[in-house]
């Protein structure tokens, strides 16, 4: 059974940094692209489409693609030793408060905005909450 598990969420002060990890099981990173998404707390029951795509990484040469809103502050990377895909976040702001999800889909084509669309992804984790107080 394929599973994605996020970790690393928590409370961080404005301007601080946090690294989230996405650990996969039953799903080979050799074939899957991994993306990070987020959703405003309390809206987890809303449609999947309401999740904001942040960053993605392919399965081939670790090419990455970012949403404009985070590309200068967030970094996605693959940690082969731990079999995780991490999202390093810096200069965090109150508006970054959200439930963060990782997701996966068999990689085809090339990286681009399509990989930041929730409907592209076939597997999802259950999310980890990041809180940045105002």
């Amino acid at each position: 059974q394929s599973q994605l598990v996020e970790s690393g969420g928590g409370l961080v002060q404005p301007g601080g940094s946090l690294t989230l990890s996405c650990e996969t099981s039953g799903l080979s990173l050799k074939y899957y692209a991994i993306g990070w998404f987020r959703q405003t707390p309390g809206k987890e029951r809303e449609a999947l489409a309401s999740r904001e795509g942040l960053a993605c990484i392919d399965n081939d040469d670790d090419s990455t693609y970012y949403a404009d809103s985070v590309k200068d502050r967030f970094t996605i990377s693959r940690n082969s030793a731990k079999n995780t895909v991490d999202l390093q976040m810096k200069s965090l702001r109150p508006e970054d408060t959200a439930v963060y999800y990782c997701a996966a889909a068999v990689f085809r084509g090339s990286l681009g905005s399509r990989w930041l669309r929730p409907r592209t992804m076939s597997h999802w984790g259950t999310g980890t909450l990041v809180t940045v107080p105002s």
Side-chain angles (χ1 to χ4, degrees):
Q1 183 178 356
S2 302
Q3 192 173 14
L4 290 84
V5 179
E6 303 91 341
S7 62
L11 177 68
V12 59
Q13 295 301 311
S17 300
L18 201 63
T19 296
L20 306 180
S21 290
C22 175
E23 184 171 2
T24 65
S25 60
L27 185 155
S28 174
L29 293 180
K30 182 178 179 180
Y31 302 106
Y32 284 79
I34 303 294
W36 280 96
F37 296 76
R38 67 185 177 189
Q39 191 161 31
T40 303
K43 297 189 178 182
E44 291 85 349
R45 292 184 180 273
E46 291 191 1
L48 202 67
S50 68
R51 295 179 180 178
E52 177 189 7
L54 304 173
C56 57
I57 187 167
D58 74 8
N59 67 319
D60 184 15
D61 58 3
D62 286 350
S63 295
T64 57
Y65 187 84
Y66 295 91
D68 288 342
S69 59
V70 301
K71 64 181 179 181
D72 295 327
R73 299 186 297 123
F74 291 8
T75 302
I76 189 171
S77 62
R78 192 182 301 274
N79 187 324
S80 298
K82 294 168 37 177
N83 200 39
T84 62
V85 174
D86 299 336
L87 185 69
Q88 297 174 284
M89 307 184 293
K90 65 180 183 180
S91 302
L92 286 164
R93 308 163 180 166
E95 52 265 40
D96 294 317
T97 294
V99 178
Y100 284 73
Y101 299 88
C102 65
V106 174
F107 184 70
R108 294 187 180 91
S110 59
L111 277 185
S113 59
R114 180 171 76 91
W115 292 93
L116 297 184
R117 297 174 192 157
R119 64 184 180 186
T120 298
M121 299 303 185
S122 56
H123 298 75
W124 289 85
T126 56
T128 185
L129 177 63
V130 173
T131 302
V132 186
S134 55

